[in-house]
Amino acid sequence: MKILVCITHVADTTSKIQFTADNTKFDTTGVQFIIGPYDDYALARAVELRDQTGGKLTVLNVGEAETEPTLRKALAIGADEAIRINSFPKDSIFVAKQIANHAKEAGYDLILMGRESIDFNGGMVHGMVGELLGVPSFSPVMKLEVDGSTAKMAREIEGGKELLEAGLPLIAGCQEPIAEWKIPNMRGIMSARTKPLTVVEPSGDETQAAAVKYELPPAKGAVKLIDKDNVSELVKLLKNEAKVL
Amino acid sequence: MSILVYIEKAESKVKKTSLEAVSFASELAQKTGEGDVVALALGSLDSSELEGIGKSGASKVLHVSDSRLDDGVIQAHASAVAQAFEKSGAKTVVLAKSSLGDAVAARLAVKINAGLVSNVIELPEIGAEYLVKRSIFTGKAFAYTSLTTENKILAVKKNAVDLKTDGANAAVESLEVAIPDSDFGSKITATERATGEVLLPEADIVVSGGRGMKGPENWGMLEDLAKTLGAATGCSKPVSDMEWRPHHEHVGQTGVKVAPSLYVAIGISGAIQHLAGVNSSKCILVINKDPEAPFFKAADYGIVGDAFEIVPKLNEALKAEL
């Protein structure tokens, strides 16, 4: 089976979010970059499926040169080869077209990625790639089993889940508990250095919905503490001051 | 001209989040002069539900009664919306951000060559540019997105506008669309949904518990409190990891992101990953025995003390008041 996993290169979840250049750029000072946590779940499941069925696992990122350590980490976790499409990821449709153009040529049985990136949270790229390639797309997928040319999935819906069956090829935006995150071992890290990482130039530069400026939420006021023996005071505040009851 | 709103249903009722999307579209139409709001409902729904969509601001409801669309088959829904869009002459589609809404919107964007913005939190600013404010970094920041396409899709986050309920009933028209059989190639074999309860992602009040609850057997008092408040129950990641509670109740960075009016956190320390799931809440109440718990820094109201003592007392006080 040929599997593609698309990963994002994003600020660690504990990062302080700040902007520079008159609020038009994300401030990367002191920020540690990681594989997107949802992409990490997709990658972990892809490694398991590749190990079960054989075949090849390719990992792809649309990003500039600084994302290569993140791709190397994906190789250390178990991907066989990496592709970097050499461009800043301008918006969802731009990224989706880069992935679709690559996948059209390469022909994958399964394309996995996280349900959303943790920076822009759009959660749109998998569906766009699906439509561009004319194959089914599912998200957020929390369980994925492949049996021959059929996949069985569970997709999270509000307050529960849907169980699904679909033929390959397909695209899935993944989330926990699809697999446990894999931590690279020493052998993986050593072999990642020599696995192929190919840089490909992007096709087209069209955007439709690019972010032009950023803003931080207003600072939160101090918490109002209420004595534990005075819950009726709390109820009054919730009702009359916060007006949420 | 008109704005088209994609309506979702759950258990034969139009979802409240979709009615919020209709309210959003109605305010947007006034702002842009795009005319009427036309709602599109797919699958079996009775006429009172369909007409009722008008109360939130739609003047017309297009109804595709094909029962194959009762399930949220993503590709088929996207095809149906694309065809309704072409027929209606609309340039903008509004929908509620949701599990199905997101999946449909992404495919629709390609089909109708529309710029798409998700997590929209307020009406766009329309001047030299069409600027849409959206939540990013899991609620820790906002971005203004410039939509440059003629066709546009806005996936609206909960609480972006107030729900409108004072409109008149809408006129219902049935609509025929031709959906290719290949769109039904994937099969939904079962749907497991918590029934009769308030759904967490859509709830106006959420009561969540963390490790401080000490075990699943102690959730009864949280459920009692939730019942009094008409709230949904949630939990922190360790709680769902230990399987004290089901995964769909996990609130946080990698779980459900909620945007209720009131979020009540009981025995949750407030790790940054949990806060990422709740920072869109209007008001946060924290109950924790550790006065140093980081959650107090993100809270509006707090009580320092033992949850096992406070929660039942709070429940009684609320019952007396509500």
Side-chain angles (χ1 to χ4, degrees), chain A residues 98-220:
Chain A
Q98 304 310 317
I99 296 168
N101 286 342
H102 164 75
K104 230 174 260 169
E105 301 264 313
Y108 293 99
D109 301 299
L110 204 53
I111 301 179
L112 306 183
M113 59 189 89
R115 63 173 290 179
E116 65 188 46
S117 69
I118 62 161
D119 48 9
F120 282 91
N121 309 119
M124 294 296 163
V125 172
H126 31 71
M128 288 173 167
V129 173
E131 188 64 33
L132 288 165
L133 294 175
V135 303
S137 55
F138 305 93
S139 179
V141 173
M142 51 201 293
K143 187 174 161 238
L144 170 65
E145 304 285 347
V146 177
D147 183 7
S149 61
T150 308
K152 285 187 179 174
M153 288 167 283
R155 189 175 84 86
E156 189 160 75
I157 57 173
E158 285 75 20
K161 62 186 171 187
E162 252 172 27
L163 305 182
L164 291 144
E165 271 181 38
L168 301 183
L170 64 83
I171 296 173
C174 304
Q175 71 166 35
E176 63 184 334
I178 196 163
E180 299 263 343
W181 282 335
K182 295 196 188 318
I183 295 158
N185 57 28
M186 193 45 78
R187 204 169 131 237
I189 294 167
M190 297 301 284
S191 68
R193 291 181 190 166
T194 52
K195 285 179 181 172
L197 190 164
T198 314
V199 179
V200 180
E201 288 308 311
S203 46
D205 61 357
E206 187 210 9
T207 64
Q208 295 182 333
V212 291
K213 64 173 176 174
Y214 302 99
E215 196 175 279
L216 291 172
K220 189 106 189 165

